[in-house]
Amino acid sequence: MSNQITYFEKEGVDNTDDLINIVKERLEESTIKNVVIASASGESAMKLADALNDDINIINVTHHAGFSGPNSLDISEEMIEKLEERGIPTVIASHALSGVGRGITNKYGGYSPIDIIADTLRMFSHGIKVCAEISIMVADAGLIPVGEEVLAIGGRAKGVDSAAILTPANMTGVFDLRFHEILAMPRP
């Protein structure tokens, strides 16, 4: 088997449209039916929905409440409703690769084992770390099956720049997660 990996010159929103085209092409030649996307505002998830066939199950993952400020969400209720009208649920949950561990290290310093996992994945790209993280979150929400390949899309801040095919795992079995293909990522 031979597949191409696209390397973007830098991370960020400028890669979103190209990444969605890469994802669309790869899905057309696969049997994958579940796509998870990290889209804090929902805009990238909506772009993805516009590009893909309706037979693909898209799940959006946004930041947890309080990520940008106390008691606030980074996605509007209106966008959540627009996505739901398209059949796209939005997961709002604690981040699988930071969560409470990040709160402890922020207060007391040091590192948790979760920080080490997250930093190891960031050695590829921040978006690749996000691909793993959101697939765990969506599996824990019961919206995708573990043990079945999915396509995960991530990035950093705005837009998306990384995509991978992986087999998700629940948080309790984090080391069962398997990356199979990296479709695109920014060069570190």
Side-chain angles (χ1 to χ4, degrees):
M1 181 172 158
S2 176
N3 280 325
Q4 178 177 329
I5 299 174
T6 298
Y7 296 101
F8 297 116
E9 289 184 33
K10 58 184 176 141
E11 64 184 22
V13 68
D14 293 341
N15 302 313
T16 299
D17 292 338
D18 289 337
L19 184 77
I20 287 173
N21 287 331
I22 291 164
V23 165
K24 181 179 178 180
E25 287 177 22
R26 184 63 182 93
L27 287 171
E28 287 171 355
E29 60 190 37
S30 81
T31 59
I32 292 172
K33 295 295 179 202
N34 292 297
V35 176
V36 295
I37 182 168
S39 183
S41 70
E43 290 176 27
S44 294
M46 192 59 80
K47 278 187 173 188
L48 181 67
D50 290 340
L52 298 184
N53 297 328
D54 289 338
D55 61 337
I56 300 293
N57 180 38
I58 301 170
I59 301 151
N60 182 47
V61 182
T62 188
H63 293 138
H64 60 80
F67 183 85
S68 297
N71 303 313
S72 67
L73 290 175
D74 291 342
I75 189 169
S76 69
E77 287 296 325
E78 294 80 23
M79 181 58 86
I80 292 172
E81 289 173 14
K82 284 181 187 177
L83 290 167
E84 286 176 353
E85 287 171 8
R86 299 285 302 267
I88 302 169
T90 296
V91 173
I92 304 167
S94 296
H95 292 182
L97 296 180
S98 62
V100 173
R102 178 73 45 81
I104 294 168
T105 57
N106 286 345
K107 182 166 178 112
Y108 298 108
Y111 281 93
S112 74
I114 287 294
D115 292 321
I116 295 167
I117 294 169
D119 281 347
T120 300
L121 290 168
R122 282 188 199 99
M123 291 170 70
F124 290 94
S125 78
H126 190 90
I128 292 297
K129 186 273 299 184
V130 170
C131 288
E133 185 166 50
I134 65 173
S135 69
I136 293 166
M137 293 165 66
V138 174
D140 280 356
L143 296 175
I144 57 172
V146 297
E148 185 178 304
E149 291 183 12
V150 302
L151 197 148
I153 302 169
R156 181 178 198 165
K158 287 192 153 288
V160 289
D161 57 27
S162 300
I165 295 174
L166 54 83
T167 299
N170 294 114
M171 192 179 300
T172 54
V174 67
F175 292 109
D176 293 331
L177 186 144
R178 294 289 180 261
F179 279 91
H180 304 294
E181 298 175 38
I182 293 176
L183 305 181
M185 65 182 231
R187 281 185 54 111

